[in-house]
Coordinates of all heavy atoms in Angstrom, one line a residue:
P1 N -10.6 15.3 1.8 CA -11.7 15.2 0.8 C -11.4 14.2 -0.2 O -10.3 14.0 -0.6 CB -11.6 16.7 0.2 CG -11.0 17.5 1.3 CD -10.0 16.6 2.0
E2 N -12.5 13.5 -0.6 CA -12.4 12.5 -1.6 C -11.7 13.1 -2.9 O -12.1 14.2 -3.3 CB -13.8 11.9 -2.0 CG -14.3 11.0 -0.8 CD -15.6 10.2 -1.4 OE1 -15.9 10.4 -2.5 OE2 -16.1 9.5 -0.5
G3 N -10.9 12.3 -3.5 CA -10.3 12.7 -4.8 C -9.0 13.4 -4.6 O -8.2 13.6 -5.5
T4 N -8.7 13.7 -3.3 CA -7.4 14.4 -3.0 C -6.3 13.2 -2.9 O -6.6 12.3 -2.2 CB -7.5 15.2 -1.6 OG1 -8.5 16.2 -1.8 CG2 -6.2 15.9 -1.3
W5 N -5.2 13.6 -3.4 CA -4.0 12.6 -3.3 C -3.6 12.4 -1.8 O -3.5 13.4 -1.1 CB -2.9 13.1 -4.1 CG -3.0 12.7 -5.6 CD1 -3.6 13.5 -6.4 CD2 -2.5 11.6 -6.2 NE1 -3.5 12.9 -7.7 CE2 -2.8 11.7 -7.6 CE3 -1.8 10.5 -5.8 CZ2 -2.5 10.7 -8.6 CZ3 -1.4 9.5 -6.8 CH2 -1.8 9.6 -8.1
I6 N -3.3 11.3 -1.4 CA -2.7 10.9 -0.1 C -1.4 10.3 -0.3 O -1.2 9.3 -1.1 CB -3.6 10.0 0.8 CG1 -4.9 10.7 1.1 CG2 -2.9 9.5 2.0 CD1 -5.9 9.7 1.7
T7 N -0.4 11.0 0.2 CA 1.0 10.4 0.0 C 1.6 10.1 1.3 O 1.3 10.6 2.4 CB 1.9 11.5 -0.8 OG1 1.9 12.7 0.0 CG2 1.4 11.8 -2.1
G8 N 2.6 9.1 1.2 CA 3.3 8.7 2.5 C 4.6 8.1 2.0 O 4.9 7.9 0.9
R9 N 5.3 7.7 3.0 CA 6.7 7.0 2.8 C 7.1 6.3 4.0 O 6.7 6.6 5.2 CB 7.7 8.1 2.4 CG 9.1 7.5 2.2 CD 10.0 8.5 1.6 NE 11.3 8.0 1.3 CZ 12.3 8.5 0.7 NH1 12.0 9.6 0.0 NH2 13.4 7.8 0.4
G10 N 7.9 5.3 3.8 CA 8.7 4.6 4.9 C 8.3 3.1 5.1 O 9.0 2.5 5.9
W11 N 7.3 2.6 4.4 CA 7.0 1.2 4.6 C 8.2 0.3 4.0 O 8.9 0.6 3.1 CB 5.8 0.7 3.9 CG 5.7 0.9 2.4 CD1 5.3 2.0 1.7 CD2 5.9 -0.1 1.4 NE1 5.4 1.8 0.4 CE2 5.8 0.5 0.1 CE3 6.4 -1.4 1.4 CZ2 6.0 -0.2 -1.1 CZ3 6.6 -2.1 0.3 CH2 6.4 -1.4 -1.0
H12 N 8.4 -0.8 4.7 CA 9.4 -1.8 4.2 C 9.0 -3.2 4.4 O 8.9 -3.6 5.7 CB 10.8 -1.5 4.8 CG 11.9 -2.1 4.2 ND1 12.0 -3.4 3.9 CD2 13.1 -1.5 3.7 CE1 13.2 -3.6 3.3 NE2 13.8 -2.5 3.1
Q13 N 8.6 -3.9 3.4 CA 8.0 -5.3 3.6 C 8.9 -6.2 4.4 O 8.4 -7.1 5.1 CB 7.6 -5.9 2.3 CG 8.7 -6.4 1.3 CD 9.6 -5.3 0.7 OE1 9.3 -4.1 1.0 NE2 10.4 -5.7 -0.2
D14 N 10.2 -6.1 4.3 CA 11.2 -7.0 5.0 C 11.2 -6.7 6.4 O 11.8 -7.5 7.2 CB 12.5 -7.0 4.3 CG 12.6 -7.6 3.0 OD1 12.1 -8.7 2.8 OD2 13.0 -7.0 2.0
K15 N 10.6 -5.6 6.9 CA 10.7 -5.3 8.3 C 9.3 -5.6 9.0 O 9.1 -5.5 10.2 CB 11.0 -3.9 8.5 CG 12.3 -3.4 8.1 CD 12.5 -2.0 8.3 CE 14.0 -1.5 7.8 NZ 14.2 -0.1 7.9
W16 N 8.3 -6.1 8.2 CA 7.0 -6.4 8.8 C 7.1 -7.7 9.5 O 7.7 -8.7 9.0 CB 6.0 -6.5 7.6 CG 5.7 -5.2 7.0 CD1 5.9 -4.0 7.5 CD2 5.0 -5.0 5.7 NE1 5.4 -3.0 6.6 CE2 4.9 -3.7 5.5 CE3 4.6 -5.9 4.7 CZ2 4.3 -3.0 4.3 CZ3 4.0 -5.3 3.6 CH2 3.9 -3.9 3.4
T17 N 6.4 -7.7 10.6 CA 6.4 -9.0 11.4 C 5.3 -9.9 10.9 O 5.3 -11.1 11.1 CB 6.1 -8.8 12.9 OG1 4.9 -7.9 13.0 CG2 7.3 -8.0 13.5
E18 N 4.3 -9.4 10.1 CA 3.3 -10.1 9.6 C 3.3 -9.9 8.0 O 3.3 -8.7 7.6 CB 1.8 -9.8 10.0 CG 1.8 -9.9 11.6 CD 0.4 -9.5 12.1 OE1 -0.6 -9.4 11.2 OE2 0.2 -9.2 13.3
K19 N 3.5 -10.9 7.3 CA 3.6 -10.8 5.8 C 2.3 -11.1 5.1 O 1.8 -12.2 5.4 CB 4.7 -11.7 5.3 CG 6.1 -11.4 5.9 CD 6.7 -10.1 5.6 CE 8.0 -9.9 6.3 NZ 9.1 -10.7 5.8
P20 N 1.9 -10.2 4.2 CA 0.7 -10.5 3.4 C 1.0 -11.4 2.2 O 2.2 -11.7 2.0 CB 0.3 -9.1 3.0 CG 1.6 -8.4 2.8 CD 2.5 -9.0 3.9
E21 N 0.0 -11.7 1.4 CA 0.3 -12.3 0.1 C 1.1 -11.3 -0.8 O 0.8 -10.2 -0.9 CB -1.0 -12.7 -0.6 CG -0.8 -13.4 -2.0 CD -2.1 -13.7 -2.7 OE1 -3.1 -13.5 -2.0 OE2 -2.1 -14.2 -3.8
M22 N 2.2 -11.9 -1.3 CA 3.1 -11.0 -2.2 C 3.3 -11.5 -3.5 O 3.1 -12.7 -3.9 CB 4.4 -10.8 -1.4 CG 4.4 -10.2 -0.1 SD 5.9 -9.5 0.3 CE 5.7 -9.2 2.2
T23 N 3.7 -10.6 -4.4 CA 4.2 -10.9 -5.7 C 5.5 -10.3 -5.9 O 5.6 -9.1 -5.7 CB 3.3 -10.4 -6.9 OG1 1.9 -11.0 -6.7 CG2 3.7 -10.6 -8.2
N24 N 6.5 -11.1 -6.4 CA 7.9 -10.6 -6.5 C 8.4 -10.0 -5.2 O 9.2 -9.1 -5.3 CB 8.0 -9.5 -7.6 CG 7.7 -10.2 -9.0 OD1 8.0 -11.3 -9.2 ND2 7.1 -9.4 -9.9
G25 N 7.9 -10.5 -4.1 CA 8.4 -10.1 -2.8 C 7.8 -8.8 -2.3 O 8.3 -8.2 -1.3
F26 N 6.8 -8.2 -3.0 CA 6.1 -7.0 -2.5 C 4.6 -7.2 -2.4 O 4.0 -8.1 -3.1 CB 6.5 -6.0 -3.7 CG 7.8 -5.4 -3.6 CD1 8.9 -6.0 -4.2 CD2 8.1 -4.2 -2.9 CE1 10.2 -5.5 -4.1 CE2 9.3 -3.7 -2.8 CZ 10.4 -4.3 -3.4
P27 N 4.0 -6.3 -1.6 CA 2.5 -6.5 -1.5 C 1.8 -6.0 -2.7 O 2.4 -5.3 -3.5 CB 2.3 -5.5 -0.3 CG 3.3 -4.5 -0.4 CD 4.6 -5.3 -0.8
M28 N 0.6 -6.4 -2.8 CA -0.3 -6.0 -3.9 C -1.2 -4.9 -3.5 O -1.5 -4.8 -2.3 CB -1.0 -7.2 -4.5 CG 0.0 -8.2 -5.2 SD -0.8 -9.6 -5.9 CE -1.3 -10.5 -4.4
H29 N -1.8 -4.2 -4.4 CA -2.6 -3.0 -4.0 C -4.0 -3.3 -3.5 O -4.7 -2.4 -2.9 CB -2.7 -2.0 -5.2 CG -3.7 -2.6 -6.3 ND1 -5.0 -2.4 -6.2 CD2 -3.5 -3.3 -7.5 CE1 -5.6 -2.9 -7.3 NE2 -4.6 -3.5 -8.1
D30 N -4.5 -4.5 -3.6 CA -5.9 -4.8 -3.4 C -6.4 -4.4 -2.1 O -7.4 -3.8 -1.9 CB -6.1 -6.4 -3.6 CG -5.6 -6.9 -5.0 OD1 -4.4 -7.0 -5.2 OD2 -6.6 -7.0 -5.9
L31 N -5.6 -4.8 -1.0 CA -6.1 -4.5 0.4 C -6.1 -3.0 0.5 O -7.2 -2.4 1.1 CB -5.1 -5.1 1.4 CG -5.4 -4.9 2.8 CD1 -6.7 -5.7 3.2 CD2 -4.3 -5.4 3.7
L32 N -5.2 -2.2 0.0 CA -5.2 -0.8 0.1 C -6.3 -0.2 -0.7 O -7.0 0.8 -0.2 CB -3.9 -0.2 -0.4 CG -3.7 1.3 -0.4 CD1 -3.7 1.9 1.0 CD2 -2.3 1.6 -1.0
S33 N -6.5 -0.7 -2.0 CA -7.6 -0.1 -2.8 C -9.0 -0.4 -2.2 O -9.9 0.5 -2.4 CB -7.5 -0.8 -4.2 OG -6.3 -0.4 -4.8
E34 N -9.2 -1.5 -1.5 CA -10.5 -1.8 -0.9 C -10.7 -0.9 0.2 O -11.9 -0.4 0.5 CB -10.5 -3.2 -0.4 CG -11.8 -3.7 0.2 CD -11.8 -5.1 0.6 OE1 -10.9 -5.9 0.3 OE2 -12.8 -5.6 1.3
A35 N -9.7 -0.6 1.0 CA -9.9 0.3 2.2 C -9.9 1.7 1.9 O -10.7 2.5 2.6 CB -8.8 0.0 3.2
V36 N -9.3 2.1 0.8 CA -9.3 3.6 0.4 C -9.6 3.6 -1.1 O -8.7 3.8 -1.9 CB -7.9 4.2 0.7 CG1 -8.0 5.7 0.5 CG2 -7.5 3.9 2.1
P37 N -10.8 3.5 -1.5 CA -11.2 3.4 -2.9 C -11.3 4.8 -3.6 O -11.3 4.9 -4.9 CB -12.5 2.7 -2.9 CG -13.2 3.1 -1.6 CD -12.0 3.2 -0.7
N38 N -11.6 5.9 -2.8 CA -11.9 7.1 -3.5 C -10.9 8.2 -3.4 O -11.1 9.4 -3.7 CB -13.2 7.7 -2.8 CG -14.4 6.7 -3.0 OD1 -14.6 6.1 -4.1 ND2 -15.2 6.5 -1.9
H39 N -9.7 7.9 -2.9 CA -8.6 8.8 -2.9 C -7.4 8.2 -3.7 O -7.1 7.0 -3.3 CB -8.1 9.0 -1.4 CG -9.1 9.7 -0.5 ND1 -10.1 9.0 0.0 CD2 -9.2 11.0 -0.1 CE1 -10.8 9.8 0.8 NE2 -10.3 11.0 0.7
P40 N -6.8 8.9 -4.5 CA -5.6 8.3 -5.1 C -4.4 8.3 -4.0 O -4.2 9.3 -3.4 CB -5.2 9.3 -6.3 CG -5.9 10.5 -5.9 CD -7.2 10.1 -5.1
V41 N -3.8 7.1 -3.9 CA -2.9 6.9 -2.8 C -1.5 6.6 -3.4 O -1.4 5.7 -4.3 CB -3.3 5.8 -1.8 CG1 -2.2 5.6 -0.8 CG2 -4.6 6.2 -1.2
W42 N -0.4 7.2 -2.9 CA 0.9 6.9 -3.4 C 1.8 6.9 -2.2 O 2.1 7.8 -1.5 CB 1.4 8.1 -4.4 CG 2.7 7.8 -5.0 CD1 3.9 8.5 -4.8 CD2 3.1 6.9 -6.0 NE1 4.9 8.0 -5.6 CE2 4.4 6.9 -6.3 CE3 2.3 5.8 -6.6 CZ2 5.0 6.2 -7.3 CZ3 2.9 5.0 -7.6 CH2 4.3 5.2 -7.9

């Protein structure tokens, strides 16, 4: 349901075979926010 928190764990940018645009060596929220705009994601 929209508005429900979605939580997850385990991503590691140094293990990705494809690297996105990063800041300080980490991904930015834009791609995630665009794909999932109506659920708070952590």
Side-chain angles (χ1 to χ4, degrees):
E2 289 190 1
T4 303
W5 280 85
I6 295 174
T7 57
R9 180 170 180 162
W11 63 273
H12 198 306
Q13 75 282 7
D14 288 308
K15 297 179 183 179
W16 291 340
T17 55
E18 300 175 21
K19 301 293 178 71
E21 181 183 354
M22 296 202 194
T23 298
N24 295 327
F26 284 84
M28 295 179 286
H29 73 85
D30 304 75
L31 186 65
L32 178 63
S33 298
E34 182 179 348
V36 189
N38 300 318
H39 298 75
V41 178
W42 185 246

